[in-house]
Each structure stands twice: as structure tokens, then as C-alpha cells.
Amino acid sequence: MKIVVTGALGHIGSRLIREIPAALPGAHVVMLDDLSTQRYCSLFDLPVQGSYSFHEADVLTEDLAPLFAGASAVVHLAAITNAAGSFQNPEAVEQVNYRGTERVARGCIEAGVPLILLSTTSVYGTQADVVDEDCTAEALQPQSPYAGSKLRAERLVERLGREEGLSFVTLRFGTIFGISPGMRFHTAINKFCWQAVMGQPITVWRTALNQYRPYLDVVDGVEALLFVIKKELYDRRVYNVVTVNTSVAAITEIIRSYVPGISIAYVDTRIMNQLSYHVSGRRFLEAGFSCKGDLERGIRDTIARLQQATAAATPQEAA
């Protein structure tokens, strides 16, 4: 078995490539990443029982079909994912997230390989208490260039499925939290943990403290991708993947239990979605998936990892 992972060195990819050897014994993992975020460390200490090859490759320019040939699946994780930051570079976001997805999808068609498209629950913008994959078009109101590019990529892949026979599944992930070798700290929970450990105020969007949003433990994100590969769940449907729907207030209280004395600073944002809603993951659960992630454990582990790193750095700084 051969599994191709684009964006292999990122937050999700760096953990996925380490889980594949145990979950899919004998699989060869082809890792693609353009190294634009310089996460070289994601390649360190890969499992010795794994079979790997790495290609420094940009999905916007690489000849992808030869790399995909003979694969059981292409897991497309390569993307620009900073929603708030996407207002500063909407053209680049559109190129990578939409045009990049088109090139990956067409590479899959040429190679005859199924595609796992990673999308986001940020495509929702609704006044409904609970939203699912069968929501009306009015409930799909992306509030950032990032979310908009992801929704357009979804629709492109759906069209290629209808018109050109692409086999695929789309997974709308909640906001990722939890540790991995390639983790970043620009999304809510991880950013809050970083700020707390570094003694900084936790910066919260002014209207967001008590609003509910969907979050996904990276543990569940990786397991969801492996579940699709094992089940060959390429039914051209969309699945929400969510560990928990919760509020920023609840998240900060958990952080406070591990880092007492945190403060909150309210900030404005160009993301205009001021609505509170829950995203249902029932469809994926009914397909046989089971969530194992845990919000408090994810926060605890992230804080512990950061505290360990800062403690180790202190003597060196003093010297």
C-alpha cells in the first residue's frame, strides 16, 4: 500500500505520517511539502518501522500524477490555514487552497487514485443552533478568505466527481488542537495555551467569549483520515469531524486550572461571524467512526509540552 500526504509536515500531517506504519503495516508513505513554513523538524525521528520518501514539492507547480501513481489514497492537507491572517493575503490563499486543490484532484484523476480532501467547519455561517452537512445554501456563509477558498475547493471536487469520475471524500474538520511535531499556534486553543504559558494575556475576539464553535483533537483528526483509508470511504460525500462544540469561556477556564492567574484581552477581528452554533458530526459517527479525543487532555498536554520547553530554555538564556 502507498499513501501520499500533501502538506505532510504540518500540524495534522506530521502526526499522521507517524501513525500510518502502526495503523497500516507495510504501507509506504510519500510525503509532499513545500517547506514554506520551514517545519524541517517534522521529518526528525520518524518511526523506524515506517517506509518513507520525502519530496520537497509545491502542489501549484509539481507534476503530481507520477507521484500519485499506484497510491491507495492521496490525503490532501497542503493549505494556507490561518483564517484571520487570510485577509492580508487573499490571493495567495485562493491560489494554494483552490488552485492547489484543483491540481491535486486532477493528478488523482490522471493517476486513478482516490482523494481525501480536508476542508473546514469554518465554511458554516448560520443562525441555526445545530448545523450539519445537509444544511441550506444560506447556512454556508464563509467569513474569511480562507473559509471561502475551502468551500470553493469542495465544490470544485464535487464537480470533478460528477463530470470526470474523481473518487473522493471531503472531511470538514473542526478547529484543530493538541500536540504534534509540526504543530503551530495560530488557532484558538493552541494560541491560548501559548499565551498563557508565556505570561501573555489571552487574546479573545470581542464577541466570542460565550459563543460555541466546533473543535477537533488532532488525535481524532488523524484517526478520521486513517478510518477513511481503511474503510475506502470514497463515497463523494461531505463529513463533519468534530470532537467537541464548546465556548472560549469554557476553554479558558480549563487553561486557568493549569496556569492560574491568566488574563484575557479582548480584540477586534475582521471575521464578521458573530454567531454561536454547534456543528453536528453525527453522519461520520453513523459511518462507524468513534471519537477518542478529549479537550482537557489536549490542553493539558499542550501546556505541559510548552512548560517543559520553557523550563529547559531558562538556564541557557541565563548563561
Side-chain angles (χ1 to χ4, degrees):
M1 176 182 284
K2 171 180 169 182
I3 305 296
V4 180
V5 183
T6 73
L9 306 190
H11 192 160
I12 300 166
S14 63
R15 184 149 180 163
L16 173 64
I17 60 178
R18 285 165 168 77
E19 299 291 339
I20 288 176
L24 304 168
H28 178 68
V29 185
V30 179
M31 304 175 290
L32 275 60
D33 200 285
D34 69 355
L35 292 173
S36 59
T37 57
Q38 299 188 342
R39 283 180 276 195
Y40 301 92
C41 58
S42 294
L43 287 169
F44 300 167
D45 302 318
L46 292 172
V48 294
Q49 71 271 29
S51 172
Y52 297 98
S53 58
F54 174 72
H55 300 266
E56 184 177 351
D58 187 338
V59 296
L60 290 172
T61 57
E62 190 73 20
D63 185 8
L64 296 170
L67 294 172
F68 295 173
S72 297
V74 171
V75 183
H76 182 38
L77 306 179
I80 296 176
T81 59
N82 188 335
S86 67
F87 288 96
Q88 279 69 55
N89 59 344
E91 295 84 5
V93 170
E94 185 73 7
Q95 275 290 102
V96 173
N97 294 357
Y98 178 82
R99 175 62 177 156
T101 296
E102 180 179 20
R103 296 194 79 254
V104 169
R106 292 196 178 279
C108 287
I109 292 169
E110 185 177 344
V113 175
L115 169 67
I116 302 175
L117 174 64
L118 193 70
S119 188
T120 172
T121 54
S122 294
V123 300
Y124 296 113
T126 174
Q127 296 183 30
D129 290 336
V130 180
V131 65
D132 62 20
E133 301 89 343
D134 294 323
C135 67
T136 64
E138 288 72 24
L140 293 171
Q141 297 292 334
Q143 301 297 305
S144 68
Y146 159 69
S149 69
K150 283 294 191 177
L151 184 57
R152 286 187 287 276
E154 284 188 23
R155 290 170 173 167
L156 169 69
V157 167
E158 290 170 4
R159 179 174 61 80
L160 292 175
R162 290 193 309 269
E163 298 177 0
E164 301 190 34
L166 173 67
S167 294
F168 72 92
V169 67
T170 296
L171 302 181
R172 289 177 181 161
F173 275 18
T175 300
I176 286 287
F177 66 90
I179 61 174
S180 75
M183 66 191 297
R184 295 179 70 190
F185 296 90
H186 66 280
T187 53
I189 295 176
N190 284 2
K191 181 183 74 172
F192 296 161
C193 291
W194 173 276
Q195 291 171 326
V197 172
M198 297 300 166
Q200 303 170 5
I202 292 178
T203 53
V204 175
W205 296 343
R206 194 172 302 279
T207 60
L209 187 65
N210 295 303
Q211 293 174 353
Y212 276 73
R213 292 290 188 273
Y215 296 92
L216 179 65
D217 193 325
V218 69
V219 170
D220 286 335
V222 167
E223 285 299 319
L225 296 167
L226 294 171
F227 176 84
V228 168
I229 295 170
K230 291 176 182 178
K231 294 283 188 180
E232 298 183 355
L233 187 65
Y234 308 114
D235 57 3
R236 299 176 180 169
R237 301 186 77 190
V238 176
Y239 293 90
N240 295 326
V241 188
V242 177
T243 300
V244 63
N245 290 275
T246 193
S247 66
V248 171
I251 292 166
T252 55
E253 282 309 301
I254 295 173
I255 294 173
R256 194 186 306 276
S257 70
Y258 293 99
V259 187
I262 61 171
S263 61
I264 295 176
Y266 295 102
V267 297
D268 294 316
T269 175
R270 288 182 63 182
I271 297 179
M272 299 304 294
N273 187 351
Q274 310 301 334
L275 308 173
S276 179
Y277 58 89
H278 294 67
V279 171
S280 171
R282 177 177 295 179
R283 176 182 289 180
F284 202 46
L285 298 179
E286 290 176 348
F289 184 71
S290 176
C291 287
K292 301 175 183 176
D294 180 82
L295 177 63
E296 181 163 0
R297 183 183 64 208
I299 290 173
R300 181 197 66 207
D301 291 350
T302 301
I303 288 173
R305 185 69 59 91
L306 289 169
Q307 288 175 330
Q308 182 182 34
T310 55
T314 301
Q316 188 175 22
E317 291 173 357

